[in-house]
Amino acid sequence: MGCSSNPEESVKPLLSSLLHLRPGKYWNHNEAALTHSSFWKEPHGCTMEKVTELKDQGNKALSAGNIDKAVRCYTEALALDPSNHVLFSNRSAAHAKKGNYESALQDACQTIKIKPEWGKGYSRKATALEFLGRLDDAKATYQEGLRREPSNQQLKEGLQNIEARLAEKKMMNPFATPNMFEKLESDPRTRELLSDPSYRELLEQLRNKPSELGTKLQDPRVMTTLSVLLGLDLAGMDEEDEPTPPPPPKPKETKPPPPKEEDLPENKRKAMKAKELGNDAYKKKDFAAALKHYEEAVTHDPTDMTYISNQAAVYFEKGEFEKCRELCQKAIDLGRENREDYRQIAKALARIGNSYFKQEKYKEAVQYFNKSLTEHRTPDVLKKCQQAEKIVKEQEKIAYINPEVALEEKNKGNEAFQKGDYPLAMKHYTEAIKRNPNDAKLFSNRAACYTKLLEFQLALKDCEDCIALDHTFIKGYTRKAAALEAMKDYTKAMDAYQKALELDSSSKEATEGIQRCVMSQGSVRNDSPEDVKRRAMSDPEVQQIMSDPAMRMILEQMQKDPQALSDHLKNPVIAQKIQKLIDVGLIAIR
């Protein structure tokens, strides 16, 4: 179902077989050996109180809409407790709220892997799959979750919703009808097109991914095909009406057709005529005439919210947004009173959101976009909502910037650092970064705190941000090198020290750092297998390499035929990965 394999579990049989011949020893004479027989990730030395604190901070940030902070808190907590299924689940929710559904899916899969009997993990995974458009996979995930936890109401409701969406998708996608080719073959407009392989490929593409229809409408063949499949003159379709769904394959499944105009009451016929005149005037930008006709339609049929919503659309185009919102709200109230289609309610709410967006009132826009999405989720409104949320966060971030306050926080951080109170120093440096995110020195200072607290991955991240802001700031490189050296990644540490020397050839810190790394490279092999194992598997890059099926095959081949190593090293990508395993002490070449 899209879950990635656990690198620690997947490489265990391979490493065990490799080391069965020579457990705990290196190979000689150009032979390559993996030095350990298992990769069980050791728990971090921090207390569970710190994990709970970070989780609570993440939960508060998520509730407040500060998604980036929530993800950061959950990630830091996972660095301390990588087997905590709740943290993965919460981070999955944060990724999903941000619109990063691939990351949400990965975390949901990890949640299930850690605790397969927990229904929430399946719910998280299914939600991510649904947003990725993989509805069938989402349905299967809900079903699997219910097999594990049959009484889970959230999974039951999710399954019902996804089944309804799949049914609607089948009904609304004309390219998915079983008799599509028969219809196209029987119509002279499309019969000849079927002999073109590219046309058949286009049909298959739209059958499998109907969401791409909007990008294909410029192709005249698509419009012709739709005309045949739907039996409509698409050029004359009213923009204000909902598209008519294609007829389903079985007559007994068809919905009752809408009443013909002659069957409607006289007032509704007059209202529809007035609306059509209003639509024509609207398309011609004759807004005064459009309003007149829509008002006439309202007079004839005051129970239909569409006519009021159309009036709001006119005022939107005229830039009279207050009036537009007033009419939209009136239409919504009327629609709810008369049990109008929820899609029409959602459309009116989205128009209010768009009116605020036009006026650059992004917080209000987000509020109404979310209300619209609650009624009916559409990709366009979701995208606009995410765009507005991004602008709001950026505005809040910019409004928070204050270099003077940043300097005060930096000085407080320096004082705490000198006293050895590194958590307090980190707190002040973090606040200083928020107040002045373009100051490279602040990232460097916080990296020093992380290094003191043995949070080397976080220290590296801050060093990279520091270097990105100012590539001439030497401390960015020396502190990066110090973190790498502490992680015993001496090759990369020497590279960072070397870059520092390029900026200042007299740097004593960089020169001594390179000397230490050279000496340490010779002694690293004397570390216990457990120390090397724990250090290596704390590196995400090593985890990624060891979870790569291609690399596992290469390592197996090396075990059977050590001379194959020279062939693999000709591939620069594979050579880089093997070098990484050598650097961390998992492979030794002698």
Side-chain angles (χ1 to χ4, degrees):
M1 297 306 304
C3 292
S4 59
S5 59
N6 187 320
E8 298 171 7
E9 295 177 357
S10 61
V11 300
K12 184 180 177 184
L14 166 62
L15 296 176
S16 297
S17 64
L18 282 169
L19 298 170
H20 179 70
L21 297 176
R22 305 182 184 186
K25 294 185 179 180
Y26 295 106
W27 291 354
N28 297 318
H29 308 300
N30 295 323
E31 294 181 345
L34 291 166
T35 60
H36 308 294
S37 61
S38 65
F39 282 82
W40 301 112
K41 199 170 186 178
E42 299 292 333
H44 199 279
C46 291
T47 63
M48 289 307 297
E49 287 80 0
K50 180 65 175 175
V51 174
T52 302
E53 179 185 346
L54 286 167
K55 184 183 78 171
D56 292 342
Q57 291 176 5
N59 293 346
K60 290 179 181 177
L62 186 62
S63 298
N66 191 345
I67 311 302
D68 291 334
K69 180 180 178 181
V71 171
R72 185 169 65 252
C73 289
Y74 294 140
T75 301
E76 291 180 19
L78 282 167
L80 307 178
D81 187 6
S83 62
N84 191 319
H85 65 284
V86 175
L87 292 173
F88 277 108
S89 174
N90 289 3
R91 192 170 70 173
S92 175
H95 283 311
K97 192 168 184 180
K98 190 177 181 181
N100 189 355
Y101 303 119
E102 287 290 353
S103 297
L105 176 60
Q106 292 176 10
D107 278 352
C109 288
Q110 191 64 26
T111 303
I112 294 172
K113 198 168 296 181
I114 294 172
K115 193 161 186 177
E117 71 277 9
W118 195 47
K120 176 70 76 173
Y122 297 93
S123 180
R124 298 282 193 220
K125 180 181 175 183
T127 299
L129 288 167
E130 188 172 353
F131 276 111
L132 289 169
R134 296 165 57 182
L135 302 185
D136 289 321
D137 289 343
K139 177 182 176 181
T141 300
Y142 280 125
Q143 291 172 333
E144 175 62 23
L146 285 169
R147 280 194 287 271
R148 300 273 187 171
E149 192 176 339
S151 61
N152 189 301
Q153 189 61 32
Q154 188 177 18
L155 290 173
K156 290 179 181 179
E157 292 176 359
L159 180 59
Q160 291 176 353
N161 291 336
I162 201 69
E163 287 177 339
R165 285 196 62 188
L166 283 167
E168 182 183 30
K169 177 183 175 184
K170 185 176 180 181
M171 292 283 292
M172 296 301 291
N173 182 11
F175 296 94
T177 55
N179 60 342
M180 176 182 68
F181 286 104
E182 295 177 12
K183 282 189 175 182
L184 298 178
E185 181 69 36
S186 62
D187 195 293
R189 291 174 292 175
T190 51
R191 185 182 301 123
E192 294 184 3
L193 292 174
L194 288 170
S195 60
D196 183 355
S198 67
Y199 176 64
R200 287 182 172 269
E201 183 179 348
L202 174 65
L203 294 176
E204 287 299 324
Q205 185 177 357
L206 292 174
R207 179 198 293 267
N208 297 325
K209 295 183 179 180
S211 59
E212 295 185 0
L213 177 60
T215 65
K216 306 291 185 183
L217 291 177
Q218 299 299 321
D219 189 333
R221 298 177 300 174
V222 173
M223 296 302 295
T224 302
T225 304
L226 283 172
S227 297
V228 173
L229 294 177
L230 300 180
L232 295 173
D233 179 9
L234 295 181
M237 182 175 288
D238 188 338
E239 291 183 354
E240 290 295 321
D241 291 335
E242 291 292 328
T244 304
K250 296 180 181 179
K252 61 183 179 182
E253 294 179 0
T254 58
K255 296 179 181 180
K260 297 179 181 179
E261 186 174 337
E262 56 268 23
D263 296 332
L264 291 172
E266 183 179 358
N267 69 312
K268 289 188 177 292
R269 291 203 302 271
K270 289 181 178 180
M272 291 179 65
K273 289 291 185 183
K275 175 194 165 189
E276 290 171 4
L277 293 173
N279 289 350
D280 291 339
Y282 178 85
K283 293 172 187 176
K284 296 173 183 177
K285 304 293 183 181
D286 187 353
F287 297 135
L291 286 172
K292 177 183 176 182
H293 291 302
Y294 290 143
E295 183 60 39
E296 182 185 350
V298 173
T299 302
H300 290 304
D301 186 3
T303 63
D304 193 328
M305 68 172 285
T306 304
Y307 309 135
I308 301 175
S309 183
N310 287 6
Q311 287 178 310
V314 174
Y315 283 107
F316 182 91
E317 291 297 326
K318 293 176 68 177
E320 298 182 30
F321 299 119
E322 285 293 342
K323 185 65 174 177
C324 168
R325 290 193 284 268
E326 177 187 334
L327 288 169
C328 282
Q329 190 58 58
K330 183 178 179 181
I332 292 166
D333 293 342
L334 181 64
R336 294 198 190 281
E337 182 181 341
N338 292 281
R339 299 182 180 277
E340 185 59 78
D341 187 339
Y342 59 88
R343 286 174 290 189
Q344 292 292 341
I345 303 289
K347 189 175 181 181
L349 289 166
R351 184 167 284 137
I352 295 177
N354 281 322
S355 72
Y356 280 122
F357 194 96
K358 280 281 188 180
Q359 292 183 300
E360 298 183 356
K361 297 180 179 180
Y362 300 111
K363 286 186 177 180
E364 293 85 349
V366 169
Q367 179 185 355
Y368 279 91
F369 284 143
N370 279 324
K371 287 183 178 181
S372 174
L373 292 169
T374 301
E375 296 289 338
H376 179 58
R377 298 187 75 84
T378 61
D380 290 341
V381 176
L382 179 61
K383 183 178 179 181
K384 207 65 177 286
C385 184
Q386 291 171 345
Q387 184 181 352
E389 286 176 333
K390 184 177 180 181
I391 294 173
V392 168
K393 289 176 187 175
E394 214 42 53
Q395 288 178 338
E396 291 175 345
K397 184 178 178 182
I398 293 171
Y400 199 67
I401 292 175
N402 188 327
E404 292 180 0
V405 176
L407 181 59
E408 293 175 5
E409 292 292 333
K410 175 187 175 184
N411 291 335
K412 292 178 182 178
N414 291 345
E415 291 175 8
F417 190 91
Q418 292 297 328
K419 295 176 181 177
D421 191 346
Y422 304 120
L424 180 60
M426 182 182 67
K427 178 182 177 181
H428 287 301
Y429 289 140
T430 298
E431 180 63 21
I433 288 171
K434 292 178 182 178
R435 294 291 188 173
N436 191 3
N438 295 319
D439 188 341
K441 294 179 181 178
L442 297 175
F443 286 95
S444 173
N445 288 5
R446 192 171 68 175
C449 287
Y450 280 134
T451 300
K452 291 291 187 181
L453 294 169
L454 307 183
E455 295 282 6
F456 302 121
Q457 290 293 344
L458 296 174
L460 285 176
K461 175 66 169 58
D462 273 357
C463 289
E464 293 293 352
D465 289 338
C466 171
I467 293 168
L469 288 169
D470 185 357
H471 64 276
T472 64
F473 185 52
I474 190 170
K475 280 192 176 180
Y477 296 99
T478 56
R479 283 178 172 161
K480 176 182 178 181
L484 289 165
E485 185 180 354
M487 296 170 67
K488 298 193 177 183
D489 195 342
Y490 299 116
T491 301
K492 287 185 178 180
M494 285 191 289
D495 289 340
Y497 281 130
Q498 186 60 46
K499 288 180 180 177
L501 285 174
E502 292 173 6
L503 293 173
D504 181 5
S505 58
S506 63
S507 172
K508 183 179 179 181
E509 184 178 1
T511 302
E512 292 179 351
I514 290 178
Q515 292 173 353
R516 285 196 307 272
C517 289
V518 171
M519 295 178 63
S520 298
Q521 274 188 320
S523 62
V524 70
R525 291 185 173 86
N526 296 325
D527 287 352
S528 70
E530 288 301 314
D531 287 340
V532 177
K533 169 191 67 177
R534 180 169 56 253
R535 182 173 63 249
M537 288 309 294
S538 67
D539 188 336
E541 186 178 352
V542 173
Q543 293 182 24
Q544 185 176 11
I545 292 172
M546 298 308 296
S547 65
D548 183 355
M551 281 302 298
R552 293 205 296 271
M553 290 180 63
I554 290 171
L555 294 173
E556 288 175 354
Q557 188 178 9
M558 288 166 52
Q559 189 268 337
K560 296 175 182 177
D561 181 13
Q563 299 301 324
L565 175 63
S566 58
D567 293 331
H568 291 305
L569 291 178
K570 294 176 183 177
N571 184 320
V573 176
I574 295 175
Q576 183 180 6
K577 292 181 179 181
I578 291 177
Q579 184 61 51
K580 175 65 180 181
L581 297 180
I582 293 173
D583 292 341
V584 298
L586 294 183
I587 291 181
I589 308 296
R590 288 188 177 181

